[in-house]
């Protein structure tokens, strides 16, 4: 008795006649899929296929972001350097005190401004240092106070020391921008050794040290007994 | 006796604290006047700015006085924060005519310092700028001399 081969049906498949007839009957009817269902199927298919994305695609996108970030950082640094080294000196707050335009603020700026006021020379509106709307002896004092300020000098020296290795030629302009406000200016008439405990505040403001006519801003000259707290 | 024990303990603690404090150094304090001179040679001195400092650390600026010439008789400009510090920047100018300004060597200021201890301080003077009556930078020489008591 011969054994039945289990693969015999696969080698010679034969569908039932009723099934063939039913299938032939189905193909004649129009097949319609609702658009909503179509969309759902497509969405599911996309979600499913995203799992099989090539890994190189994600890495490329990450590298692209890094490249763009590096470019942005370079642009930001370039802008910062340009602003730092090429900022016009006229924009710096201290350039107004640099009356003689020699790149530094010292007593010569106050001297030049005092002479300009005294001789009736041309006065630049920027020389209104104290911002009172006039250019007079008060502005001269403000420049002198800034010239002898220890705080400004210290910060300037630090700034110059820090910037010198990078660009020596721009020391003056750069240091000028780093300076802050001047400390309170005052003068003492005379301090003698007998005054062992000198007060550290309430310094006398000086009277006019120049020969500026009183008509030139004389009304703004503070009285001699005006005191200012220096603490 | 038991009532006095806390008070006695407190008293002993106070005495101990007082005795444990180091004795205040009995350092001598003296004052010294330092004259600042500028030698402008033949050109009239109209403005100057210089920095005076003590390098040894035992001297502090206590006052600034004007110079001998009438053009710089008043105290120069300086930062009041320099008082009780070791350095000061002084500056002055005069817009007078050339014949009203000093020529040659003249005392432009005197700086009073307070010296603590017996060590003699070492001073340093740095001329920052000077100008003649025309406002031009002048080549001058700045020196200082400690005034003898």
């Amino acid at each position: 008795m011969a054994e039945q081969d289990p693969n015999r049906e696969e080698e010679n498949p034969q569908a039932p006649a009723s099934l063939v007839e039913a299938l032939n009957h189905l193909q004649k009817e129009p097949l319609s899929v609702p658009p909503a269902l179509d969309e759902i199927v497509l969405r599911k298919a996309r979600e499913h296929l995203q799992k099989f994305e090539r890994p190189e695609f994600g890495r490329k996108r990450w590298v692209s972001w890094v490249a763009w970030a590096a470019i942005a950082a370079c642009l930001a640094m370039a802008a910062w350097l340009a602003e730092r080294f090429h900022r016009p000196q006229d924009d710096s707050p201290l350039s107004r005190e640099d009356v003689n335009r020699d790149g530094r603020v010292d007593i010569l700026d106050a001297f030049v401004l005092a002479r300009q006021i005294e001789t009736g020379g041309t006065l630049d509106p920027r020389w209104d240092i104290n911002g009172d709307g006039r250019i007079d002896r008060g502005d001269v004092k403000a420049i002198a106070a800034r010239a002898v300020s220890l705080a400004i000098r210290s910060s300037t020296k630090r700034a110059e020391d820090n910037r010198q290795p990078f660009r020596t030629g721009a020391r003056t302009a750069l240091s000028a921008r780093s300076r802050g406000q001047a400390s309170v200016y005052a003068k003492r008439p005379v301090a003698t050794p007998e005054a062992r405990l000198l007060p550290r505040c309430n310094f006398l403001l000086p009277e006019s040290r120049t020969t500026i006519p009183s008509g030139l801003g004389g009304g703004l000259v503070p009285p001699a007994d005006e005191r200012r707290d220096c603490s | 006796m038991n009532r006095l024990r806390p008070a006695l303990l407190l008293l002993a603690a106070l005495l101990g604290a007082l005795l444990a404090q180091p004795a205040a150094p009995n350092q001598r304090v003296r004052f010294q006047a330092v004259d600042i001179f500028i030698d402008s040679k033949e050109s009239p001195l109209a403005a100057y700015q210089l920095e005076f400092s003590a390098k040894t650390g035992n001297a502090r600026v206590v006052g600034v006085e004007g110079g001998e010439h009438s053009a710089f008789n008043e105290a120069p400009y300086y930062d009041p924060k320099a008082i009780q510090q070791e350095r000061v920047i002084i500056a002055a100018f005069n817009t007078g005519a050339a014949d009203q300004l000093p020529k040659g060597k003249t005392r432009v200021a005197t700086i009073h310092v307070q010296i603590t201890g017996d060590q003699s301080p070492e001073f340093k003077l740095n001329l920052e700028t000077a100008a003649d009556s025309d406002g031009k930078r002048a080549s001058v020489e700045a020196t200082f001399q400690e005034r003898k008591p």
Side-chain angles (χ1 to χ4, degrees):
Chain A
M1 186 175 174
E3 294 182 359
Q4 289 184 349
D5 188 1
N7 299 327
R8 190 173 179 179
E9 291 183 358
E10 294 178 1
E11 292 175 355
N12 193 12
Q14 286 291 334
S18 58
L19 177 61
V20 172
E21 185 179 357
L23 289 175
N24 290 332
H25 181 70
L26 285 176
Q27 287 179 353
K28 293 176 182 177
E29 294 180 356
L31 185 63
S32 66
V33 178
L37 180 63
D38 216 7
E39 185 65 26
I40 291 172
V41 171
L42 284 175
R43 190 169 67 241
K44 293 290 183 182
R46 288 193 192 101
E47 289 176 1
H48 179 72
L49 290 175
Q50 278 184 350
K51 299 175 184 176
F52 302 99
E53 275 186 341
R54 290 180 300 175
E56 290 80 9
F57 179 71
R59 193 173 64 191
K60 282 182 180 178
R61 190 165 60 180
W62 181 79
V63 171
S64 174
W65 277 107
V66 169
W68 279 110
I71 292 172
C74 289
L75 288 175
M77 182 171 288
W80 178 73
L81 290 173
E83 191 274 340
R84 175 171 175 170
F85 289 105
H86 299 285
R87 184 175 179 176
Q89 192 175 358
D90 289 341
D91 292 341
S92 63
L94 205 63
S95 63
R96 298 186 303 140
E97 284 90 343
D98 187 9
V99 177
N100 59 5
R101 315 301 295 173
D102 63 349
R104 54 179 295 184
V105 176
D106 53 22
I107 196 65
L108 299 188
D109 299 300
F111 176 62
V112 170
L113 179 57
R115 287 189 60 186
Q116 287 288 102
I117 296 173
E118 185 177 349
T119 59
T122 304
L123 299 177
D124 192 328
R126 296 183 308 156
W127 294 342
D128 182 16
I129 307 300
N130 55 10
D132 62 351
R134 297 182 181 184
I135 301 172
D136 52 16
R137 199 179 57 184
D139 303 305
V140 176
K141 291 178 182 177
I143 295 175
R146 181 156 295 201
V148 299
S149 171
L150 292 181
I152 293 176
R153 184 66 55 90
S154 298
S155 62
T156 302
K157 190 174 188 306
R158 283 196 301 270
E160 289 179 350
D161 290 343
N162 291 335
R163 287 165 177 158
Q164 188 172 1
F166 299 100
R167 187 180 178 186
T168 306
R171 286 176 59 187
T172 303
L174 294 172
S175 61
R177 292 204 300 104
S178 65
R179 297 174 193 173
Q181 293 295 321
S183 59
V184 177
Y185 157 71
K187 292 199 308 181
R188 305 170 68 88
V190 171
T192 60
E194 288 74 19
R196 293 178 63 89
L197 297 175
L198 291 172
R200 301 191 66 178
C201 300
N202 294 332
F203 291 89
L204 280 174
L205 284 175
E207 295 180 356
S208 172
R209 300 193 68 263
T210 65
T211 54
I212 301 172
S214 59
L216 293 173
L220 298 176
V221 176
D225 57 349
E226 181 179 349
R227 291 172 182 270
R228 181 176 296 179
D229 187 9
C230 67
S231 58
Chain B
M1 187 64 185
N2 287 337
R3 292 181 180 177
L4 292 177
R5 183 173 292 176
L8 288 175
L9 288 175
L10 181 61
L11 183 61
L14 288 174
L15 286 174
L18 287 175
L19 293 175
Q21 283 185 347
N26 188 17
Q27 291 184 327
R28 191 165 65 97
V29 176
R30 56 194 171 95
F31 291 90
Q32 176 72 56
V34 182
D35 294 326
I36 309 297
F37 297 93
I38 289 182
D39 187 358
S40 63
K41 299 180 177 61
E42 297 299 325
S43 60
L45 179 65
Y48 72 90
Q49 179 172 327
L50 53 87
E51 179 177 355
F52 175 84
S53 59
K55 298 173 65 176
T56 49
N58 61 336
R60 296 181 183 277
V61 176
V62 294
V64 180
E65 186 181 348
E68 60 181 339
H69 196 275
S70 59
F72 296 101
N73 194 23
E74 294 186 21
Y77 294 97
Y78 70 96
D79 191 342
K81 292 180 179 176
I83 298 299
Q84 294 293 331
Q85 299 296 322
E86 297 172 358
R87 70 185 184 104
V88 61
I89 300 171
I90 62 173
F93 67 87
N94 192 293
T95 56
D99 55 354
Q100 299 174 351
L101 299 175
K103 292 182 181 179
K105 187 175 181 179
T106 180
R107 179 174 63 86
V108 294
T110 298
I111 298 175
H112 297 273
V113 296
Q114 175 184 333
I115 303 169
T116 304
D118 295 330
Q119 184 183 6
S120 297
E122 183 180 354
F123 300 117
K124 181 183 177 183
L125 189 65
N126 179 31
L127 178 70
E128 295 184 343
T129 189
D132 59 12
S133 57
D134 295 329
K136 298 178 182 177
R137 296 187 184 277
S139 177
V140 303
E141 183 181 359
T143 57
F144 67 91
Q145 184 177 6
E146 299 179 27
R147 190 180 294 178
K148 295 179 181 178

